[in-house]
């Protein structure tokens, strides 16, 4: 191997030397259809990095060494042309526009297909179309870009992750997010890919496309392909940016002046003499920097790409942020007369985070604006001089963030090796091995003088270590060939084996002699010898084994058929149901050939149906297990009590989703307009649900069972229009609207051990303390849409200031029975709208809008704190002062929040998600740089919304419960806005 | 190149072999940190651990839902809504106003407390019998466990019929129905009592470490005494003589005696009190959940006891009940003054409160008067007020209103169980379920009910002597919740039950047996929320089966009358 690389290196040197003798070639590049000159066309000497670009009229001059040389003319939207120079000195080229919509390569899982052959609903986003600017998470790259794919992260937590949903909610279990496959590694972690290393992201949307992933396909599949080296190039690229992130929206609570005015009116609350903006005290303008360096290239037999990415991001909350180093190496080597291709991918991420404490946001919101941050009064020495008051659930947020570290270190390593051997033409055997190792180490400490928890416990330290390890082995056989006439067929067969092991421990204890140790010396905490420390460790494992096959047939480029099946088994299933079968079939017909209209390049009608599954969330759920209960005082000492901790369910199986997709792909007018339209309807049955069951006959009071049914349907459109294609101005626009027709919980009833389980309708969610512990937020109801927000109905304020709630059942008392559906947490309609402009050959501009429409949010900040009288304990919202009777002007006189429809708000929004203006420098021939681009980008620039809370983005679940969407909790990070300035350099 | 070819083949073949050799289709689960019956029940220690699971079901008895059902609906205790705190959708106010519904908090937890206990006992009885059948255990040693489990099951059933009336009666695990219907209360009572009468004599009579925290014979008789005492409520037929006889079994055994100090039963280190017939051995580490300390104390009390968590400022006693103790009653205890903490520990924490360093506890949560309130404006706590539980000596009502604007310092707190310095949110005091002092009062009532007032007085006066209050010469008097009212037959005996057994989970039962439970208007605190209503009706003598249970088992319908 070493010799081989050396040889490559020498070859490169040699080729550079050959280029020493030079001459000049010039000419003009035009559009084949219009005859106009095309500016900015790349002209490259094949096998080298040198070349030129055309000017504004399409003219070019390029220096060419003597000898046999080929020039490559390439430009986005046109087919690349290669022309052998020979003895010519003037070469005019007319480029043919590329029907990109058709020849685009789409990754489909265990293979690729050209877009024109695809018969299921698959969306592909290439690097050129990714969102730009301050992007730290791969999910951000495609936010809003794929119809039906919702990506949401309310608030600006730098360490938070995105909630990803495909085509709404089709499960009530934990696996609501799509399966991620990174370069063939199934179940990969997006956190181990740096966004700048990604070449393309493909989304398998419908059941037939995802069925090849069997028990894990139900929530969709996201296939990430990382960049690799290209033959004949030797590139060094540097991308870097600095960014400033600032708070864009906080909870609109009263400032000191407003607070004093309301206090004077209500006669409540005590003026503590200061004027403090608690948001200002707890936040900052956060600085971020990102550097990516990549080396890539290749020869005929070897290609490689290595990259190193460094990100240093502060969070807008003080003492939060992360530093991340990521490295990736993709290496491909051909051997044995090009018959064997070995590919090695190695990636590692080392991340250090400061999480901060989200509680601080809640306290910053409710803290009295007349309270000082610190006090010199010796009475406050016990809290290190921070001002505090002894009230319920009320702590100085600055003290929380400044005094108490909450840190984490994540290490992620992926390793993958693939060997593909072409036995005879068209027949390839492929073996793939990968491992993923993820290790999370956390540490937090509450200071001895932290009024928040720390002082209670005399210091409190916590350590957590979690380790996840999985190995995947797959082997496939692939055959591609013609089977008579113009019928082409591709056949795939394979075997897959994946094993997961999770283990870890955590320990928490307090009573420390000194704050010096923070979380680094748990043994110094007396809680452990006193038995008050908490210690836990665990280990579990699971396995997935599958056999799968797929046949794709292309008849005369007109009829396309694809059928696949995956037979998959998992240790997670019950004894009686270890193996499941997940078939799919799809077909398409290219109507353009029949229409014969020149303006129609592509009009493909397709129908697909597939069955996918969903796994139980944890191992061992089908087994009867015993677990420790309360201790037992036996003969003068405590011994552990052991009893049943779960019921056996040997029938426990996968969730089953059947999905029908009907779609049309189209391209008109030389692919000036292209896109696709899809209708889907999906039914999920045998939902995995933890049911309350009677004891006896059962041993334990809950059981994991397969019950019920969920139905979703929707319409999706992806439409691109290359509106203006002129020499000095290009404009193209893409919209990706999604309309959700239905997301209903048909049933959650079923059977377990011969007994009927009836769900009916249930109240879920709890508002929480103070004072609303038993107040539900949501009603889950069979036959009704998922996400019904469930509250009493606000009617007004009486002349004396009493809250009036509607007596909806007309029984003359207002009570819990008067609750109504007052909103729905899931969106009805979403769209992304991308706009790409280029001016001349230097300027480019991207503007991306995103809208989510039709969802409501339960604004819990208001539900708790929008009460004028509350200012005797907490700060209140500005809007509290408006809660009056219209005629008497009497203020609402309740002293506690009462949840009602008043707090349920339409959270539809239209946002300018990102905007990016770039300038490409003109580079003279022979410059040290291949490319210099500088850009200015803004993210989350504005939101147009009626929602009064911090962030109108949908909340897809509450805690981990997907049946409770739409609850805006009080610990949400504030919404932020980012500006970044960056440079792309190519050497 | 030849070598590369070979290497390539070896690589591929190697990968195949490695994996296929390793069980290419084996899907058995591999366990590491979980236990299944396959790897349990292997030794004596594990049998004991299994038995322990049934006793573990008692964990919620003293503080959580069952406690609220037994106490917060009575004249002994109330949880006012103080601003936002303890609103909880009105659940706590409804307890006080007897306006609970099938969805009220506390009900489902109590139902589960009872039936999880019953089910654990039934399951273990079946499992031990199976082990005998398999020859793994001697019949004799299994019988001892089984008798003990049946008596423990009796305890859970007693609580269930007491709260809910008719409940499903399930005594055999193997033949149990999944969705049983309810058996009439009297039938459950008769079946359980018959079972206890058979099993109790089989239990060990030792009163020592081997039976502490477990059902011994005397605990069994104490359970029977309580059931006979309330037989009229459960079945319509009184069984006073049987109640008296069950008490005699305990009294005549000579194994128990009154502690000279009442509070020896309630101190942190109260294990092995000579009065404990059956106690739950709570511990801050080993047997948690006795969290009255959190539920009753004020936030600022944290500095009085240097607690490791901030308390929740909830449970209080009512003014009339507090005043039903004579001054000088040792059980009442002293009152903190503005100059210093109370002298003489009592069942209550009243008056001004001080930190452990002697400084006053102040309340930063000032409540200002609201001049616009109707029917009448509230008074307010002054800023930085010195915390004064129950506004003692101020001439203000102890609790201004039930809610939503009860003042934060309103209400005398429950100080019966000692709060240790540096305590956590789980108390280490053992919690008596059956206590000798109570047995004497049951004996007294059973005799009084049979017309033997003189004998009853001797038992009552034993209790009073310990409390340093004068002997009674008559058991008649005004009732604790209506001290200004007229004399009632046995009124002082009823009051003495309250004074002695305050906060020990017997008040609701006693009030129902005496017919006073539904006289809420006599102790109701003014309430303000327009949604709040006061229910004065006999139907509240039974709690309804919780909605969550109805939902999973429609055979539990119809509901108790009135709901």
């Amino acid at each position: 191997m070493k010799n081989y690389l050396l040889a490559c290196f020498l070859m490169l040197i040699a080729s550079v030397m050959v280029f020493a003798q030079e001459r000049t070639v010039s000419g003009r590049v035009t559009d084949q259809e219009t005859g106009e000159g095309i500016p900015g066309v790349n002209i490259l000497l094949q096998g080298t990095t040198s070349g030129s670009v055309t000017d504004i009229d399409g003219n070019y001059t390029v220096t060419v060494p003597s000898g046999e040389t080929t020039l490559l003319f390439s430009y986005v939207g046109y087919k690349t042309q290669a022309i052998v120079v020979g003895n010519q000195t003037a070469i005019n080229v007319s480029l043919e526009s590329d029907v990109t919509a058709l020849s685009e390569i789409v990754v489909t899982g265990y293979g690729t297909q050209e877009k024109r052959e695809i018969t299921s609903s698959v969306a592909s986003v290439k690097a050129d179309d990714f969102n730009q600017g301050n992007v730290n998470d791969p999910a951000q790259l495609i936010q809003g870009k794929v119809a039906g794919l919702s990506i949401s992260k309310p608030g600006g937590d730098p360490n938070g992750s995105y909630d990803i949903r495909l085509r709404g909610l089709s499960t009530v279990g934990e696996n609501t997010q799509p399966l991620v496959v990174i370069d063939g590694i199934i179940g990969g972690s997006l956190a181990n890919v740096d966004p700048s290393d990604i070449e393309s992201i493909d989304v398998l949307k419908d059941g037939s496309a995802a069925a090849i992933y069997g028990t894990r396909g139900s929530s969709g599949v996201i296939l990430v392909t990382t960049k690799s080296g290209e033959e004949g190039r030797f590139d060094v690229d540097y991308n870097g940016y600095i960014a400033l992130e600032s708070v864009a929206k906080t909870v609109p609570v009263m400032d000191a002046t407003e607070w004093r005015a309301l206090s004077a009116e209500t006669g409540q609350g005590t003026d503590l003499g200061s004027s403090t903006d608690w948001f200002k005290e707890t936040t900052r303008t956060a600085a971020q920097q990102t550097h990516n360096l990549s080396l890539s290239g290749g020869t005929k037999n070897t290609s490689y790409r290595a990259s190193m990415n460094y990100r240093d991001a502060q969070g807008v909350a003080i003492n939060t942020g992360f530093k991340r180093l990521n490295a990736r190496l993709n290496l491909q080597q051909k051997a044995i007369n090009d018959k064997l291709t070995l590919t090695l991918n190695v990636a590692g991420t080392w991340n250090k985070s400061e999480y901060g404490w989200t509680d601080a946001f809640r306290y910053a919101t409710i803290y009295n604006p007349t309270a000082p941050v610190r006090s010199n009064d010796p009475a406050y020495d016990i809290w290190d001089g921070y001002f505090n008051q002894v009230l319920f659930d009320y702590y100085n947020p600055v003290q929380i963030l400044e005094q108490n570290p909450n840190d984490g270190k994540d290490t992620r390593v992926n390793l993958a090796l693939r060997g593909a051997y072409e036995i005879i033409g068209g027949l390839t055997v492929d073996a793939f091995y990968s491992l993923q190792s993820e290790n999370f180490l956390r540490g937090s400490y509450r200071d001895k003088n932290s009024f928040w928890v720390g002082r209670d416990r005399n210091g409190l330290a916590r350590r957590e270590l979690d380790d996840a390890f999985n190995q995947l082995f797959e082997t496939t056989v692939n055959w591609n060939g013609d089977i008579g006439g113009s019928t082409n067929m591709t056949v795939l067969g394979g075997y897959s084996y994946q094993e997961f092991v999770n283990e870890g421990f955590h320990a928490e204890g307090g009573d420390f002699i000194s704050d010096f140790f923070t979380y680094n010396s748990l043994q110094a905490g007396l809680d452990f010898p006193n038995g008050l420390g908490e210690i836990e460790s665990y280990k579990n494992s699971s396995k997935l084994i599958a056999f799968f096959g797929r046949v794709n047939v292309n008849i005369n480029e007109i009829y396309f058929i694809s059928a696949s099946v995956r037979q998959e088994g998992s240790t997670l299933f019950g004894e009686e149901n270890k193996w499941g079968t997940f078939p799919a079939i799809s077909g398409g017909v290219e109507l353009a050939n029949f229409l014969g209209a020149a303006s129609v390049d592509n009009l493909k009608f397709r129908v697909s149906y597939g069955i996918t599954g969903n796994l139980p969330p944890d191992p061992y759920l089908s087994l009867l297990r015993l677990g420790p209960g309360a201790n037992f005082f036996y003969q003068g000492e405590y011994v552990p009590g052991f009893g049943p901790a779960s019921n056996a369910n040997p029938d426990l199986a996968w969730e089953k989703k059947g999905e029908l997709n009907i779609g049309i792909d189209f391209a008109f007018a030389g692919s000036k307009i292209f896109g696709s339209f899809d209708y889907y309807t999906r039914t999920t049955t045998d939902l995995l649900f933890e049911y309350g069951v009677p004891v006896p006959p059962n041993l334990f009071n809950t059981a994991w069972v397969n019950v019920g049914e969920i139905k979703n349907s929707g319409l999706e459109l992806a439409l691109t229009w290359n509106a203006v294609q002129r020499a000095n101005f290009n404009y193209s626009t893409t919209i990706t609207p999604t309309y959700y027709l239905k997301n209903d919980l048909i049933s959650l009833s079923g059977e377990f051990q011969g007994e009927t389980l009836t769900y009916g309708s249930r109240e879920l969610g709890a508002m929480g303390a103070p004072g609303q512990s038993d107040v539900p937020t949501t009603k889950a109801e069979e036959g009704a849409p998922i996400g019904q927000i469930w509250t009493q109905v606000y009617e007004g304020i009486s002349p004396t200031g009493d809250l009036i709630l509607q007596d909806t059942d007309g029984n003359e008392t207002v009570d819990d029975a008067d609750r109504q559906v007052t909103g729905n947490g899931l969106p009805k309609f979403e769209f992304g709208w991308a706009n790409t402009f280029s001016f001349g050959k230097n300027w480019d501009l991207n503007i991306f809008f995103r809208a989510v429409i039709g969802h409501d949010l339960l604004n819990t900040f208001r539900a708790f704190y929008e009460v004028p009288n509350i200012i005797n304990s907490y700060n209140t919202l500005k809007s509290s002062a408006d809660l009056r009777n219209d005629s008497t002007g009497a203020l609402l006189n309740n002293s506690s929040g009462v949840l009602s429809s008043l707090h349920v708000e339409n959270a539809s929004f239209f946002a300018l998600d990102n905007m990016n203006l770039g300038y490409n420098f003109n580079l003279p021939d022979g410059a040290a740089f291949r490319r210099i681009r500088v850009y200015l980008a803004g993210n989350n620039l504005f939101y147009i919304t009626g929602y009064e809370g911090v962030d109108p983005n949908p909340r897809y679940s509450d805690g981990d419960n997907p049946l409770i969407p739409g609850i805006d909790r009080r610990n949400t990070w504030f919404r932020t806005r980012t500006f970044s300035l960056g440079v792309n350099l190519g050497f | 190149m030849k070598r590369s070819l070979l290497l390539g083949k070896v690589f591929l073949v190697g990968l195949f072999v490695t994996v296929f050799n390793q069980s290419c289709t084996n899907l058995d689960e591999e366990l590491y940190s979980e236990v299944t019956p396959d790897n349990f029940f292997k030794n004596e220690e594990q049998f004991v651990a299994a038995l322990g699971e049934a006793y573990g079901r008692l964990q919620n008895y003293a503080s959580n839902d069952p406690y609220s059902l037994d106490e917060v609906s009575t004249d002994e205790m109330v949880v006012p809504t103080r601003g936002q705190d303890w609103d909880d959708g009105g659940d706590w106010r409804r307890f006080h106003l007897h306006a609970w519904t099938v969805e009220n908090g506390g009900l489902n937890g109590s139902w589960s407390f009872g039936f999880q206990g019953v089910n654990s006992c039934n399951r273990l009885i079946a499992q031990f019998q199976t082990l005998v059948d398999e020859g793994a255990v001697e019949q004799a040693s299994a019988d001892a466990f089984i008798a003990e489990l049946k008596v423990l099951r009796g305890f859970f059933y007693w609580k269930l019929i007491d709260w809910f009336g008719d409940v499903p009666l399930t005594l055999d695990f193997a033949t149990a129905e999944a969705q049983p219907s309810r058996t009439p209360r009297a039938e459950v009572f008769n079946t359980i009592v018959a079972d206890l009468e058979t099993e109790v004599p089989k239990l060990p009579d030792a009163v020592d470490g081997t039976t502490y925290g477990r059902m011994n014979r005397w605990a069994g008789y104490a359970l029977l005494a309580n059931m006979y005492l309330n037989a009229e409520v459960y079945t319509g037929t009184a069984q006073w003589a049987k109640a008296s006889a069950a008490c005699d079994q305990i009294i005549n055994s000579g194994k128990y005696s009154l502690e000279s100090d009442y509070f020896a039963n309630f101190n942190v280190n109260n294990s092995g009190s000579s009065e404990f017939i059956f106690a739950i051995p709570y511990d801050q580490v080993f047997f948690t959940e006795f969290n009255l300390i959190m539920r009753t104390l004020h936030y600022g009390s944290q500095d009085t006891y240097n607690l490791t968590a901030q308390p929740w400022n909830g449970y209080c006693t009512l003014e009339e009940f507090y005043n039903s103790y004579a001054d000088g009653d040792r059980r009442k205890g002293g009152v903190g003054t503005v100059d210093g903490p109370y002298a003489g520990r009592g069942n209550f924490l009243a008056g001004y409160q001080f930190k452990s360093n002697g400084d006053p506890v102040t309340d930063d949560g000032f409540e200002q008067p609201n001049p616009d309130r109707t029917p009448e404006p509230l008074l307010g706590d002054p800023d930085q007020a010195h915390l004064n539980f129950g506004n003692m000596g101020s001439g203000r009502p102890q609790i201004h209103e039930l809610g939503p604007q009860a003042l934060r310092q309103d209400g005398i707190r429950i100080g019966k169980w000692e709060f240790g310095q540096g305590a956590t949110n789980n108390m280490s005091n053992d919690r008596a379920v059956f206590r000798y002092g109570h047995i004497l009062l049951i004996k007294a009532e059973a005799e009084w009910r049979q017309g033997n007032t003189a004998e009853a007085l001797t038992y009552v006066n034993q209790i009073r002597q310990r409390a340093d209050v004068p002997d009674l010469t008559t058991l008649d008097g005004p009732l604790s919740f209506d001290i200004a009212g007229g004399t009632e037959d046995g009124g002082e005996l009823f009051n003495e039950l309250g004074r002695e057994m305050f906060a020990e989970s017997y008040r609701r039962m006693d009030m129902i047996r005496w017919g006073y439970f539904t006289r809420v208007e006599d102790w109701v605190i003014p309430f303000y929320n327009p949604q709040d209503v006061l229910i004065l009706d006999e139907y509240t003598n039974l709690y309804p089966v919780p909605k969550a249970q109805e939902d999973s088992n429609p055979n539990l319908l119809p509901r108790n009358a009135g709901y």
Side-chain angles (χ1 to χ4, degrees), chain B residues 114 171 267 288 365 498 542 554:
Chain B
L171 298 176
N267 288 338
T288 57
L542 282 180

Side-chain angles (χ1 to χ4, degrees), chain A residues 195-207:
Chain A
S196 53
D197 286 340
I198 298 178
E199 176 70 40
S200 69
I201 296 178
D202 297 84
V203 183
L204 308 184
K205 297 203 289 186
D206 69 2

Side-chain angles (χ1 to χ4, degrees), chain A residues 320-589:
Chain A
T320 63
F322 66 82
K323 289 185 168 71
R324 185 182 304 155
L325 185 67
N326 164 279
R328 174 171 293 272
L329 174 68
N330 290 353
L331 191 65
Q332 196 176 76
Q333 169 89 51
K334 288 184 174 160
I336 321 178
N337 301 325
D338 290 352
K339 281 181 175 300
L340 178 66
T341 308
L342 293 170
T343 311
L344 176 71
N345 289 340
V346 185
T349 305
W350 292 264
N351 184 83
K352 272 180 79 168
S353 290
E354 286 181 286
Y355 301 104
W357 303 93
T358 53
D359 281 357
F361 294 114
R362 176 154 48 103
Y363 301 130
T365 304
I366 65 175
Y367 223 85
N368 187 333
T370 68
V373 177
R374 291 178 188 79
S375 171
N376 293 326
D377 186 331
Y380 297 95
D381 288 352
I382 54 167
W383 300 311
D384 283 347
Y386 288 97
F387 181 84
N388 273 300
Q389 284 182 292
V390 184
L391 301 178
F392 178 73
D393 194 28
Y394 190 71
Y395 304 95
N396 185 325
V398 179
Q399 186 181 18
I400 291 177
L401 290 173
E402 287 186 347
Q403 253 185 350
N404 305 305
N406 185 13
D407 304 332
K409 208 169 92 179
D410 302 345
T411 310
R412 295 181 164 88
V413 175
N414 285 4
L415 177 72
L417 181 63
R418 181 185 298 281
Y421 187 79
E422 190 176 7
I423 297 168
I424 49 166
L427 181 65
T428 311
V429 179
D430 188 304
F432 180 73
Y433 168 81
S434 74
L435 76 77
Q436 284 191 87
S437 170
E438 294 182 291
N439 191 286
F440 312 103
L441 180 63
R442 302 261 187 280
S444 68
Y445 182 70
R446 326 282 184 107
D447 192 277
K448 287 157 68 79
N449 293 335
S450 167
F451 180 46
W452 179 67
V453 182
R455 207 173 111 74
D456 299 347
R457 298 293 299 267
N458 196 20
L460 180 69
R462 183 177 177 86
R463 267 305 214 186
E464 287 173 63
L465 180 67
D466 295 284
D467 187 278
F469 185 81
N470 82 68
Q471 294 179 92
L472 169 69
F473 171 78
E474 287 188 322
T475 179
T476 54
V477 180
N478 212 315
W479 180 79
N480 177 294
D482 292 332
I483 49 165
S486 44
T487 301
N488 178 277
M489 188 159 138
T490 306
V491 182
L492 167 83
Y495 167 80
S496 173
Y497 177 99
Q498 193 165 16
E499 190 175 55
F500 304 82
V501 181
N502 299 298
E503 55 197 309
F505 71 87
H506 79 248
E508 180 179 290
D511 205 352
F512 284 87
I513 185 80
S514 161
D515 287 324
F516 173 77
F517 307 112
T518 71
Y519 50 76
N520 296 311
S521 181
L522 291 181
Q523 67 274 25
L526 288 177
D527 271 3
F528 290 99
N530 285 332
L532 294 168
E534 266 175 43
I535 299 177
E536 189 190 338
S537 70
Y538 67 91
K539 181 175 179 178
N540 59 59
S541 72
S542 65
K543 262 190 277 184
L544 273 171
I545 296 173
F547 300 90
F548 54 90
R550 182 170 59 200
V551 180
N552 293 328
V553 183
N554 172 348
I555 304 166
N556 205 16
E557 298 288 335
I558 294 175
Y559 303 101
F560 305 94
I561 300 163
S562 173
S564 71
V565 66
R566 187 175 179 108
Q567 170 91 11
E568 187 160 52
S570 167
T571 54
L572 304 178
F573 302 139
E575 242 175 296
E576 307 294 325
N577 265 328
K578 286 287 185 200
W579 291 87
T581 305
F582 303 92
I585 183 149
S586 58
V589 53

Side-chain angles (χ1 to χ4, degrees), chain A residues 266-270 336-337 340 342 388-393 395 417-419 421 429 431-433 451 455-457 473 475 495 497 530-532 537-541 543 545 547 569-573 578-579 619-626 630-636 638-644 694-699 701 755-756 758 761 763 770-775 800 802-803 805 813-814 816 863-865 869-870 872-874 893-898, chain B residues 1 4-5 8-9 11-12 15-16 19-20 22-37 40-41 44 48-53 55-56 59 83-89 91 94 103 105 115-116 119 123 127 148 170 173 176-179 209-210 212-214 281-287 299-300 302-303 307-312 363-374 383-384 404-405 408 424 430 528-531 533 547 551-552:
Chain A
T266 61
Q268 307 218 359
T270 296
I336 321 178
N337 301 325
L340 178 66
L342 293 170
N388 273 300
Q389 284 182 292
V390 184
L391 301 178
F392 178 73
D393 194 28
Y395 304 95
L417 181 63
R418 181 185 298 281
Y421 187 79
V429 179
F432 180 73
Y433 168 81
F451 180 46
R455 207 173 111 74
D456 299 347
R457 298 293 299 267
F473 171 78
T475 179
Y495 167 80
Y497 177 99
N530 285 332
L532 294 168
S537 70
Y538 67 91
K539 181 175 179 178
N540 59 59
S541 72
K543 262 190 277 184
I545 296 173
F547 300 90
S570 167
T571 54
L572 304 178
F573 302 139
K578 286 287 185 200
W579 291 87
Y620 317 129
L621 297 179
S622 74
L623 302 179
L624 166 62
R625 285 165 294 157
L626 302 174
N631 291 313
F632 175 35
F633 196 71
Y634 178 74
Q635 313 248 354
Y638 291 93
V639 299
F642 257 78
V695 181
N698 301 295
L699 294 172
N701 59 10
E755 299 294 337
T756 306
T758 310
S761 77
E763 293 179 340
Q772 301 193 45
S773 298
D774 290 335
V775 179
T800 52
D802 291 335
L803 176 70
L805 299 173
T813 56
V814 176
D816 297 350
F864 280 101
Y865 308 120
N869 281 356
I870 214 166
N872 59 38
S873 299
Y874 304 128
N893 65 16
N894 274 56
S895 73
S896 60
V898 176
Chain B
M1 200 50 97
S4 309
L5 184 68
K9 278 184 176 162
F11 166 74
L12 283 177
L15 272 179
F16 269 94
V19 172
F20 276 92
Q22 246 187 24
S23 60
C24 78
T25 56
N26 177 8
L27 290 172
D28 294 338
E29 295 209 82
E30 205 170 327
L31 291 97
Y32 306 90
S33 51
E34 315 266 335
V35 180
T36 64
F40 206 68
F41 289 125
E44 176 79 22
V48 170
L51 177 66
E53 202 266 343
Y55 280 100
Q59 201 165 20
Q84 283 201 314
D85 295 349
W86 298 92
D87 181 74
D88 294 330
D91 282 353
R94 282 196 291 271
E103 292 180 87
F115 275 104
Q116 286 180 358
N119 295 330
R123 175 179 57 79
Q127 283 180 338
E148 187 176 350
T170 306
F173 195 80
E177 291 172 64
Q179 298 194 318
T210 61
Y212 190 76
R214 294 170 65 178
Y282 283 104
D283 187 90
Q284 65 173 7
V285 173
F286 294 106
F287 203 82
Y299 320 117
Q302 191 172 9
D303 290 333
L307 306 179
T308 67
Q310 190 186 48
W312 308 334
D363 187 348
D364 294 336
F366 32 85
E367 310 270 341
Q368 300 286 349
N370 179 356
D372 298 329
R373 276 284 292 271
T374 51
D383 183 9
Q384 301 290 311
Q405 289 194 34
R408 291 155 52 106
T424 70
D430 291 354
Y528 183 73
N529 261 16
Q531 298 100 310
V533 289
K547 176 86 165 34
D551 285 346
S552 65

Side-chain angles (χ1 to χ4, degrees), chain A residues 186-218:
Chain A
I186 305 174
S189 161
L190 283 179
N192 198 17
V193 191
D194 193 275
S196 53
D197 286 340
I198 298 178
E199 176 70 40
S200 69
I201 296 178
D202 297 84
V203 183
L204 308 184
K205 297 203 289 186
D206 69 2
S208 83
I212 197 76
Y213 289 104
T215 56
R216 291 180 285 179
S218 271

Side-chain angles (χ1 to χ4, degrees), chain A residues 578-601:
Chain A
K578 286 287 185 200
W579 291 87
T581 305
F582 303 92
I585 183 149
S586 58
V589 53
E590 180 53 78
L591 300 172
N593 302 33
F594 297 114
L595 292 172
S599 59
V600 179
D601 306 307

